[in-house]
Structures are given as structure tokens and as C-alpha cells.
Amino acid sequence: MTDLPEPFGAVVIGASAGGIQALRVLLEGLPATFEPPIVVVQHIPPDRPSALAELFGYRCVLPVVEADDKQPLRPGTVFFAPPDYHLLVEDRQTLALSIDEPVKFSRPSIDVLFESAAAAFGTQLLAILLTGASSDGSEGLVSVRRAGGKAWVQCPSEAAVPTMPESALALAGADAVLRLRDMCDRLQGSFQ
Amino acid sequence: MTDEATPLFDIELRLLLDAVYLRYHYDFRGYAFSSLRRRVRHAMTRFGCERVSDLQHRIIHEPEFFAEAIQYFTVQVSEMFRDPGYFRTLREEVVPVLTTYPSVKVWVAGCSSGEEVWSLAILLAEEGLLERSMIYATDINPDALAKAQRGTYRVDRVAQFSRNYLAAGGRRSLSDYYTSAYGNAMFDRRLTQQVVFADHSLATDSVFSEVHFVSCRNVLIYFNRALQDRAVGLFCDSLVRKGFLGLGSKESLQFGAHAEKFEAFAPEQRIYQRKVPG
Ligand SMILES: C[S@@+](CC[C@H](N)C(=O)[O-])C[C@H]1O[C@@H](n2cnc3c(N)ncnc32)[C@H](O)[C@@H]1O
């Protein structure tokens, strides 16, 4: 029992306050052999360019980009949501952006990413929810689990801000509650 | 297991889009499915429909209901001088070229409630080009078009508009262009004397005029690739040689069929120029 989807189609990750440090542990640990595409919503301010793709591009073995509309969902690539746009998984091959209203005061929103990815990838999806001070992502995790995908939530005691993981556990539950190191090990282990 | 997590929801949604097309000739069949799902789910919650087919039933049998429901198929988020860098580049690099024409036609496709149109009118006025310009402002949403024509916006949105205007290189104060009353800012009608507001769908209608500049921002993101290609094809057919196309800050021609017909003019601002064919 690995709590990993089989077959493994894609990973979606949501993070808010404290997320950058957490994402560093998670993404920097992934090997070049990691196959599924990784799509990330990290809450960021809407009114200035984001440096996330550049920052992680330096530090990760995997290629890291800021998502563009209708961009092909390339394997082994990390896609970050751009500021002030929702990022959605359009189908198994493609991403899409939208400027629909913010959800829970956030654009990009984790719920929006997770729901769209659940519809596209169903049982082949792994959704990971990390530290944060909001309740974004909770409803998204419900959709992921209903569609048969796997949900990992960062252990609240380890999270820089536990609100987001706690809220998700209360509403959606999880297939695993893990520390970042353990998430990393399991992901690495799946692509050796 | 509920419908939203299964292909059943998608099947019913496709049937709804077919029904809407057959009944009203609004064609949403080529829209990006991921955000459409979300908005239709909102409509279902709002109207108390348990299934998409319940929504479909009301939509095809009650035209007044469709008029309300259509608000959920189109997204009406807009802002004056949204992405100030875009407007600044228009002012500094595109307008000087447009000024060399005796008269200028501009097409704002998917103009929503008009924020983009009024912004362009102000910009053209400040650059001395408005009297020789003609602006076509088109959209498929009748309520949005009516709002666009009115040019009246809630006063609590105006602080943001002003900040954008200044960041976009505005030469005056935005307040020179509106009067406030009853919590609204009413923009000066003289700005839109040269604007034609019209219903036009990028999904079903054809080219209606030759233009020098098309601004179509944050509309293509709601289309799938085939429909994006149709829309960009219309822009291409409508533009004069060396005419300009401005897209939203995260949209590009890169993944589409017409990429090679355009040259990047100001790539960071997603402003393209139509190549001279041949
Ligand atoms: C998010 S708004 C963009 C408003 C404005 N251009 C901006 O960037 O601020 C998208 C607009 O596209 C319009 N739209 C959707 N489908 C369309 C179509 N097939 N043809 C023309 N306009 C369409 C919607 O009604 C909506 O007003």
C-alpha cells in the first residue's frame, strides 16, 4: 500500500503561507527520472510578476515554468500558476488559465486547480496539500477523492501554518498525512 | 459517487451545449471545458438544479431563464487599464505607428462591460488620435454590452482604475474623465462618440470590417484550441498588413495555427503585428 495512484498520471500541489520553504523540500528532492507532470498553485500577490519559476528553476533538477494558456502538460515538468490567474487542468494533455472571480479570496485558487485535475485525471491523480492560513484546497481535495484520486496532506504539526491542512483533513480526510521528508521519499521511491 | 466526479457530468454538459446551440445559436461547444464545468456547477447551485439535465430542461423551455443563465457561461471580470504595461506599450510604441494612418479602426473583441474600451478611448484622446478613430466594441453578452455603452462603474472600483491609469502613463488625472453620482463614476460620453457597440460572436460570426488594431484580452483563454484558431483567423483576415493584435498577458499565438502569420512586436506585452503576406 503506497497511497500512490496506479497508473500515476499527474501531481497537483497547493500551498499558501509558508509554502515556498515546504515546496523547496518537496520539489528539490525530485529526481530527473520523475515522470508525471507537476502542477502547483502557490498563493501569491496578484499585482506583480512572480519569481517562483525562476527561483525553483535554479534549484530543481526538473524543468520549471510559469504556465501559459493551452500549454501542453509535458511529463517531468513543474508548472506554476501565474499571478492573478486561475490555473486549470483542461484535459490530460493541456493546461488552461482563467480570470474567473477569486475563490476564497485567492486567484490562483487551489480548489480550482484540484477540481479540474480531478475531472481530467480521476484515479490517476495525486493531490498534495501543504501549509497555509486559508481553507483553500479543502473542497478541491473532496473532488479529488470522490473521483478516486489520492490525497496527501502535510502533517499539521510540521506545517509552518497548520490551518490549511487541518481544514482539509476535517472536510475531505486524506489517504495519507505525511511529513515533507516522507512525501519526498515516497515520490522518489516511485520513480527509481 | 456524484456526477461531478464522473464522465456523466461531462456527457450531460455536452448535451446542454448542443441544446443551447440548437435552440439559441449561442455556440459554447468549443469553450475550454475545465472552467465551463465550474461555472455550470455554480449555475446549478444557484438555480437549485440537481443535474445538468434539469438546467437544460429549463434553459430550452424558458427563454427568459436562458437570458439569466447565460451570465454563467461567460466571465465578466474586467478592469480599466488592466495590466498597465500593456496600455503603456500601446501608448509608446503602437500609437505612434497608428498615427501615420489618415484614419484608424480599432476592434475590441470580447469587450465585456467596457472597461477596456473606455481605457482605449482615453488613451487615444490623450494621444490626439480619438477624433480620427473608429472603435468597434463587440461581445456576445447583451447585459455586458449595455453596461459597456453606459460607461458607469461603481465608485469603489475607481481607485484601482486610477492606479492602473497612472501606471499606464496617463497624462492627467482619471477624475478628469468622469463625474460621480450616487456611488457611481459616469465616464464622459464624448469619449465614446466614435464607438460602435455591437453583438458579435467569435465562435459563429465572420469578419465585418478592415481594422488597424485588434485588442482581444482574456477571451481566448476561455476557448479550446480549435476555437482559438477560428478567432485568431478572424483577426488575421480583418487586420490590414502590419496591423496590430494585442492579447491578454498570459495568452499567446505560440500554440495556435496562425502563429507564423504574425510577428512578435512587443512580446512581453503579447502585442503582435501581422506580417505582410507573401
Ligand atoms: C473576461 S472578459 C474580458 C474582458 C476584457 N477584454 C478584459 O480583458 O478586461 C471575457 C469576455 O469575452 C466575452 N466572450 C465570450 N465568448 C465570446 C465570443 N464567442 N465572442 C465574443 N466575445 C465572447 C464574454 O462575454 C466576456 O465579456
Side-chain angles (χ1 to χ4, degrees), chain A residues 22 128-132 152-160 165-166 169 176-180 183:
Chain A
I128 301 180
L129 194 69
L130 303 175
T131 164
W152 291 0
V153 174
Q154 185 181 10
C155 187
S157 65
E158 182 201 50
E166 278 167 358
L169 289 173
V177 181
L178 298 168
R179 307 177 72 80
L180 291 170
M183 291 188 186

Side-chain angles (χ1 to χ4, degrees), chain A residues 99-100, chain B residues 27-28 31 73-80 82-83 108-116 138-142 144 200-204 215-223 227 248:
Chain A
I99 54 166
D100 288 25
Chain B
D27 194 353
F28 297 109
Y31 282 46
F73 288 84
T74 63
V75 175
Q76 302 302 327
V77 174
S78 191
E79 212 175 76
M80 278 181 92
R82 182 184 164 95
D83 306 318
V108 184
C111 69
S112 189
S113 35
E115 287 84 338
E116 190 181 348
T138 63
D139 204 284
I140 56 166
N141 184 313
H200 179 277
S201 170
L202 297 167
T204 51
S215 192
C216 181
R217 315 200 66 219
N218 297 309
V219 180
L220 297 181
I221 45 176
Y222 294 103
F223 296 172
L227 185 52

Side-chain angles (χ1 to χ4, degrees), chain A residues 116-133:
Chain A
S116 64
F121 279 100
T123 56
Q124 300 183 15
L125 183 72
L126 170 65
I128 301 180
L129 194 69
L130 303 175
T131 164

Side-chain angles (χ1 to χ4, degrees), chain A residues 66-72 82 84-85 88-90 96-101 103 107 112 115-116 119 143 146-147, chain B residues 1-2 4-5 32-35 37-39 41 75 77 82 218 220-225 228 249-251 255 270:
Chain A
E66 184 170 293
D68 237 322
D69 183 53
K70 303 300 173 311
Q71 186 162 25
D84 215 17
Y85 283 85
L88 300 98
V89 175
E90 174 67 10
L97 300 175
S98 96
I99 54 166
D100 288 25
E101 296 291 346
V103 175
R107 191 171 58 203
V112 170
E115 282 170 17
S116 64
S143 308
R146 265 197 206 147
Chain B
M1 195 94 162
T2 64
E4 84 193 48
F33 223 65
S34 50
S35 52
R37 272 193 202 102
R38 225 187 125 74
R39 293 198 299 279
R41 232 183 297 127
V75 175
V77 174
R82 182 184 164 95
N218 297 309
L220 297 181
I221 45 176
Y222 294 103
F223 296 172
N224 68 18
R225 270 211 243 160
Q228 288 189 346
S249 63
K250 284 282 139 197
E251 295 165 324
F255 306 114
R270 311 292 166 123

